[in-house]
Amino acid sequence: MSRQISRPPPTLDRAWIAARIPHSGAMCVLDAVTDWDDTHIRCIATSHRDPANPLRANGRLAAVCGIEYAAQAMAVHGALVGAAHDRPRAGFLTSVRGVDAHVDRLDTLDAPLVIDAERVSGSDNTVLYSFTLRCGERVLLTGRAAVMLDADAARRNDGDGGDAA
């Protein structure tokens, strides 16, 4: 049986995103959520064109920085599908695999980036996403990422820093 989600307005802006992920200011790289459901999210971003983008090194924004764009899309997806929780669950990127960069840089692209992330599998504590970054029809970066949810709680339950029973 499919879970029904109470959906916010169709397009969610940067302010809405920044209020729900740990990144703020210039580190919030997404501009909007344009589509989402239980397993998929699509976001757009223009921050790759900003010379003050904090991910730039030596004035350049490497294609692998797209992983951060995808990770933020995953975090927003988690906030959307976890809307029933009192607060968003903290998530940490634990691995990235199968990454293919089809360009060297993102900062040379004029059009907005489109970031798609799809939840492939998961449990209460870990989630696997696949992701694709595009500019227009051009694929820029693809890969998979594993996310651990509530890592602090999991560590406490394993005896690392928690109270002894």
Side-chain angles (χ1 to χ4, degrees), residues 87 89-90 92 125 148-165:
R87 64 174 180 79
R89 297 175 70 192
F92 298 91
N125 294 319
M148 177 183 280
L149 302 172
D150 291 335
D152 288 337
R155 192 169 52 244
R156 282 191 303 272
N157 290 336
D158 287 340
D160 293 341
D163 293 332

Side-chain angles (χ1 to χ4, degrees), residues 48-119:
H48 63 290
R49 300 184 302 211
D50 184 352
N53 185 314
L55 299 174
R56 284 185 182 229
N58 299 318
R60 301 165 58 110
L61 185 64
V64 296
C65 293
I67 294 168
E68 177 63 26
Y69 285 76
Q72 288 189 26
M74 293 173 223
V76 173
H77 187 253
L80 286 164
V81 299
H85 294 282
D86 290 339
R87 64 174 180 79
R89 297 175 70 192
F92 298 91
L93 201 59
T94 57
S95 75
V96 180
R97 301 197 180 212
V99 175
D100 282 322
H102 302 279
V103 295
D104 292 328
R105 297 170 60 177
L106 301 177
D107 58 300
T108 59
L109 304 165
D110 291 328
L113 300 179
V114 176
I115 303 98
D116 284 302
E118 181 176 359
R119 183 182 171 136

Side-chain angles (χ1 to χ4, degrees), residues 6-143:
S6 174
R7 290 180 66 162
T11 299
L12 305 170
D13 66 10
R14 188 176 190 286
W16 189 96
I17 293 167
R20 285 159 180 84
I21 64 173
H23 301 83
S24 61
M27 269 309 295
C28 177
V29 296
L30 304 176
D31 292 324
V33 175
T34 60
D35 188 41
W36 69 277
D37 61 27
D38 281 350
T39 59
H40 173 262
I41 188 164
R42 175 170 286 164
C43 301
I44 58 170
T46 56
S47 61
H48 63 290
R49 300 184 302 211
D50 184 352
N53 185 314
L55 299 174
R56 284 185 182 229
N58 299 318
R60 301 165 58 110
L61 185 64
V64 296
C65 293
I67 294 168
E68 177 63 26
Y69 285 76
Q72 288 189 26
M74 293 173 223
V76 173
H77 187 253
L80 286 164
V81 299
H85 294 282
D86 290 339
R87 64 174 180 79
R89 297 175 70 192
F92 298 91
L93 201 59
T94 57
S95 75
V96 180
R97 301 197 180 212
V99 175
D100 282 322
H102 302 279
V103 295
D104 292 328
R105 297 170 60 177
L106 301 177
D107 58 300
T108 59
L109 304 165
D110 291 328
L113 300 179
V114 176
I115 303 98
D116 284 302
E118 181 176 359
R119 183 182 171 136
V120 176
S121 65
S123 67
D124 285 344
N125 294 319
T126 59
V127 183
L128 178 65
Y129 280 92
S130 64
F131 60 87
T132 303
L133 271 71
R134 291 182 177 82
C135 185
E137 296 299 314
R138 185 177 182 188
V139 174
L140 309 173
L141 185 74
T142 60

